[in-house]
Amino acid sequence: MKNPNLALLLSLTFTVLTVGCSPKASTSAPSPAGKALTIGFAQTGAESDWRKANTKSMKDEAEKRGITLKFSDGQGKQENQISAVKNFITQHVDAIVIAPLVETGWEPVLKEAKAAKIPVIISDRTVKVDDESLYAGFVGSDFKTEGKMVADWLIKKTNGKGRILELQGTTGSAPANDRHSAFADAIKGTGLTIIDSQSGDFRRDNGKQVMEAFLKKYKKGDFDIVYAHNDDMALGAIQAIADAGLKPGTDVLVVSIDGLKEAVQAIVDGKINCVVECNPLAGAVVYDAVAKVVAGQPVPRISYNKDEMFDASNAKAAVATRQY
Ligand code: GYE
């Protein structure tokens, strides 16, 4: 984004791009007209500041719309999320929203929701299921595009040369899988190589610990770049890099994804070099989709957010207006 004003403007808008359109969600159950909705939301946990902003958006927007939100914090465990969904089914909620911790293992509980005629919207992270009719639609970011945007920025910045340490997100999660694979594909054939890769579970403490372990294995001059799958891990890593007497952002390029205000500020401070946005403020778009599904109207199979990118060229202008 060359024009900082345009970047700013765009970062304020939560644009939704739609891909494909299902004629009618097969799981939809019309609710009595005018009735306030009761929605169950199975959240992954509270692993990152991104996640906290996502939870806040879902809660605030529910309150604004008079939606009764049954919120469940999965505490980083898929089995907790599955039992939350089962509970929502027992309580006959109007719709269920799941932010799935990992991609696989959802068919049985989605089949239960379908049998109970309770529509499901998948939010934030994608799932892998054979039968697409098990959920009404997906609303979130395109993690492959994010991974490719980071790689393209690095290729330009480094002329396609450098040794990368990768801090991966939660093992088996869609953002970890996609941000790795799209990034790895994009650097193929260049002189950029991932020399080591470890999961930091999208957590700041883990990001710091993994980086500390990397710094025992790799000294200054052994690596050039740290690619973190989210800002929290990058913020943990830059702490570890500084503690080891190196200058993050100068001795080592640091790139990550999410767009936390704190990370964009770290670009301004010269400690992080590039951040690709992943918008967590999902409340409005998710409830718009739920309202349609419950009313028996079609929703797109996939609705992607439009995510921006921040580096030294636009971070200063952007930091003031970051909402999370
Ligand atoms: O990048 C990370 C969070 O699923 C997109 O999960 C989300 C990711 C986000 O913990 O910070």
Side-chain angles (χ1 to χ4, degrees):
M1 185 64 57
K2 294 246 165 53
N3 181 338
N5 291 329
L6 189 61
L8 196 90
L9 208 130
L10 285 174
S11 71
L12 289 172
T13 17
F14 192 83
T15 320
V16 173
L17 305 172
T18 56
V19 182
C21 202
S22 67
K24 185 171 189 252
S26 54
T27 48
S28 69
S31 79
K35 182 183 156 260
L37 291 179
T38 298
I39 298 174
F41 175 36
Q43 177 62 291
T44 59
E47 71 278 1
S48 65
D49 283 0
W50 186 100
R51 185 64 52 196
K52 288 167 199 156
N54 180 247
T55 293
K56 185 171 185 319
S57 168
M58 293 290 285
K59 286 186 174 171
D60 289 356
E61 191 64 26
E63 207 182 317
K64 217 164 112 190
R65 295 183 183 211
I67 290 169
T68 303
L69 186 68
K70 294 183 181 291
F71 177 82
S72 164
D73 177 339
Q75 300 186 333
K77 292 203 169 80
Q78 184 180 30
E79 58 264 37
N80 291 348
Q81 288 195 287
I82 289 173
S83 32
V85 173
K86 285 175 187 277
N87 270 329
F88 297 149
I89 296 171
T90 312
Q91 294 172 60
H92 301 292
V93 295
D94 296 305
I96 295 171
V97 178
I98 308 174
L101 184 74
V102 289
E103 279 190 292
T104 55
W106 295 99
E107 273 98 346
V109 79
L110 289 175
K111 279 183 184 150
E112 286 178 38
K114 189 179 177 182
K117 294 195 166 41
I118 300 175
V120 175
I121 290 284
I122 302 293
S123 167
D124 164 31
R125 299 182 178 177
T126 48
V127 289
K128 278 191 180 136
V129 286
D130 289 336
D131 178 2
E132 291 271 304
S133 79
L134 288 177
Y135 63 92
F138 167 80
V139 182
S141 283
D142 181 348
F143 305 133
K144 287 201 170 149
T145 297
E146 293 169 349
K148 186 175 175 344
M149 282 165 83
V150 175
D152 288 346
W153 184 92
L154 274 176
I155 292 167
K156 219 173 141 196
K157 174 81 180 171
T158 64
N159 255 327
K161 273 184 75 161
R163 294 150 298 175
I164 302 162
L165 297 175
E166 183 186 35
L167 289 164
Q168 291 210 11
T170 302
T171 306
S173 70
N177 291 342
D178 294 350
R179 287 171 184 172
H180 169 77
S181 66
F183 180 91
D185 283 351
I187 62 169
K188 247 181 222 151
T190 73
L192 285 164
T193 47
I194 298 175
I195 57 168
D196 214 335
S197 191
Q198 290 290 324
S199 173
D201 203 25
F202 285 130
R203 293 170 190 273
R204 196 173 295 211
D205 280 3
N206 294 28
K208 184 165 179 271
Q209 282 161 22
V210 171
M211 194 65 223
E212 283 164 358
F214 277 156
L215 286 160
K216 290 204 176 106
K217 241 165 123 181
Y218 307 98
K219 303 289 166 222
K220 186 179 176 178
D222 292 342
F223 67 102
D224 312 291
I225 296 155
V226 171
Y227 168 37
H229 285 190
N230 81 341
D231 287 348
D232 273 273
M233 292 190 296
L235 289 160
I238 62 173
Q239 186 61 54
I241 294 168
D243 290 351
L246 301 180
K247 278 205 176 107
T250 310
D251 293 332
V252 183
L253 287 178
V254 181
V255 291
S256 68
I257 299 169
D258 271 358
L260 298 181
K261 189 184 181 98
E262 200 182 340
V264 179
Q265 181 60 49
I267 298 178
V268 176
D269 299 341
K271 294 177 180 170
I272 292 182
N273 304 88
C274 169
V275 169
V276 168
E277 184 186 35
C278 179
N279 198 325
L281 309 177
V285 277
V286 167
Y287 297 135
D288 281 353
V290 168
K292 280 192 179 153
V293 171
V294 169
Q297 291 165 14
V299 294
R301 275 313 296 162
I302 301 173
S303 303
Y304 282 139
N305 310 325
K306 170 97 179 62
D307 291 321
E308 296 305 317
M309 168 164 232
F310 307 105
D311 63 10
S313 71
N314 62 357
K316 203 159 186 221
V319 78
T321 59
R322 300 304 294 155
Q323 289 171 49
Y324 60 94

